[in-house]
Amino acid sequence: MPNRVVNPGMTLSRSLLCTALAGGLWAASVQADAPDAIHEAARAAAKATEQWRTAETGPQAEITEQMRELARAITEGTAEDISERIAKEYSDAHPDVILPKADQAPTRRAYVFVSRSLGQPVLEEIFRSIAGTSTVAVFRGIPEGSRIGPAVSEIHAMLSAFDIDPMPNVTINPERWQTFGVEDVPTVLIADGDTEIARVSGMTNVRWLREQVAEGEDGDLGIRGPIDVPSEPDLIEVMRDRASNLDYAAIRDKTIKSYWGDVPMEDLPAASEDSQRVIDLSLRVTQDITTPDGRYIARKGDIINPLDIRPFTRRLVIFDATRANEVAFARQQAESYDNTILMASRFDRDQAWDGFNALEAQLGEPLYRLTEDVLTRFRVRATPSVVHATKQGEVAISEYHLEQTVTQ
């Protein structure tokens, strides 16, 4: 009679319930943050070259491809291509600091081209004057030697410190600077798409320039106050220079060589006897969950069993890849059962990629790493273990005692 393991203490928040219902028994846990474009592009492209797969998939695969495309754009693309890719990568991560695509500009828009060289008092005056309007304050780049993430966060912190409500539209968009050939700050410019209508330098009064345009004035209306040069270099040129100086082959080789030294592994004991435990995957709802119109999806205290929504059809074979008898056991399981996933709790780090590839060839199946999520969700305690469905529709984990435990 199998031992039943119940986990009544496991609770479920609103977000976790949605994940459980949509993703089944164990959902992807990969999280991706918006990184510094250049170095993360290189690292992601290198890691994607050879990567020990995990049994879960998630945003990382998409981010890897985005980073590789961004790296190619930096070294090969046009200013517009790069500007749009920069906007795409960072606008989601920093929603309060707008990084628009070039084609998002309305038919007619006013811009104030600014720089940190103006000083915070002048920047605050500009930001307050354009708050609540469609006018956009445009930085050319980030401080020399800085990274995009911290630089954007610094702009956000500055805007927050000014306590302006509503928040003004602020962007880092070197493509706008290039399109209109702006060289000095402050410069106020009104454009119809990419076509300049009028500009004035040395002042920040957008209303004045709008009035001049309304009266029929156009073109460069001159310098009407103190001007300065922007302290930030052109972001597109900075990224292109950084990309051209990176040794992608060296970064890739270093990443591949160091991977096996860093990858987490689980040192589980060999099973001392044959046993089977039934696992209760039920989750307790910790707060009422309703639809927008007030109908209940689940109430606080409800117990949700994912198996009632989605049956468990996989067979997870968890084994220690450093033990020859467990490798043979895993191969026999894969040959005997459909929908089998082979997961190694441990691997010989010294053999690295050569050993991993040889093991995959020996097994004749893809090999995955035992993740912390699977380890804890199914409470794996020894190897080899097999997570499988029972005839009663439950999920059980069976441990197998193998004779002659040998280390490969």
Side-chain angles (χ1 to χ4, degrees), residues 123-173:
L123 288 175
E124 181 177 4
E125 178 184 346
I126 293 172
F127 294 156
R128 289 192 182 280
S129 70
I130 67 173
T133 73
S134 62
T135 301
V136 180
V138 188
F139 285 90
R140 185 171 71 170
I142 61 178
E144 192 165 1
S146 181
R147 297 171 59 189
I148 291 180
V152 172
S153 297
E154 183 263 335
I155 294 176
H156 179 266
M158 179 170 55
L159 290 170
S160 298
F162 292 158
D163 193 24
I164 303 174
D165 188 22
M167 189 75 75
N169 294 324
V170 179
T171 177
I172 301 174
N173 194 336

Side-chain angles (χ1 to χ4, degrees), residues 141-374:
I142 61 178
E144 192 165 1
S146 181
R147 297 171 59 189
I148 291 180
V152 172
S153 297
E154 183 263 335
I155 294 176
H156 179 266
M158 179 170 55
L159 290 170
S160 298
F162 292 158
D163 193 24
I164 303 174
D165 188 22
M167 189 75 75
N169 294 324
V170 179
T171 177
I172 301 174
N173 194 336
E175 190 268 340
R176 293 283 89 184
W177 285 70
Q178 293 182 4
T179 296
F180 300 119
V182 177
E183 297 179 352
D184 304 314
V185 291
T187 293
V188 180
L189 185 146
I190 295 176
D192 187 351
D194 289 342
T195 302
E196 179 180 332
I197 297 174
R199 78 167 70 189
V200 62
S201 298
M203 64 184 299
T204 62
N205 193 329
V206 178
R207 179 179 297 179
W208 180 87
L209 185 59
R210 290 188 185 277
E211 290 174 350
Q212 301 307 304
V213 171
E215 294 174 3
E217 297 287 344
D218 58 17
D220 190 342
L221 302 187
I223 300 174
R224 297 177 179 255
I227 60 174
D228 203 343
V229 295
S231 59
E232 304 87 359
D234 185 300
L235 181 58
I236 293 175
E237 296 303 323
V238 169
M239 295 183 74
R240 184 178 284 127
D241 289 344
R242 291 183 183 179
S244 65
N245 291 328
L246 286 177
D247 186 341
Y248 286 96
I251 294 173
R252 179 199 61 208
D253 292 344
K254 181 179 179 181
T255 301
I256 292 172
K257 290 179 181 178
S258 65
Y259 177 76
W260 289 103
D262 299 332
V263 65
M265 298 186 190
E266 304 296 337
D267 188 9
L268 298 174
S272 59
E273 62 179 359
D274 292 347
S275 66
Q276 180 174 297
R277 311 185 309 279
V278 173
I279 303 173
D280 186 354
L281 298 174
S282 297
L283 304 166
R284 187 186 304 277
V285 180
T286 60
Q287 58 181 320
D288 291 342
I289 301 175
T290 61
T291 62
D293 60 3
R295 289 180 297 169
Y296 282 94
I297 297 174
R299 295 179 183 272
K300 181 179 179 180
D302 286 351
I303 303 297
I304 304 293
N305 188 342
L307 295 177
D308 295 336
I309 301 168
R310 182 176 177 181
F312 188 68
T313 59
R314 303 273 182 152
R315 187 177 181 88
L316 309 183
V317 178
I318 300 164
F319 67 103
D320 188 327
T322 67
R323 298 171 183 148
N325 57 342
E326 294 193 23
V327 172
F329 173 85
R331 179 174 180 178
Q332 180 271 328
Q333 289 283 310
E335 292 174 347
S336 303
Y337 298 94
D338 295 330
N339 294 326
T340 296
I341 295 177
L342 303 181
M343 306 186 75
S345 62
R346 192 170 55 157
F347 189 85
D348 189 339
R349 296 183 189 273
D350 294 335
Q351 293 186 25
W353 291 108
D354 290 340
F356 174 77
N357 293 331
L359 182 58
E360 267 200 334
Q362 179 183 351
L363 293 168
E365 295 286 342
L367 178 60
Y368 302 93
R369 179 176 63 85
L370 175 63
T371 63
E372 179 68 23
D373 181 53
V374 175

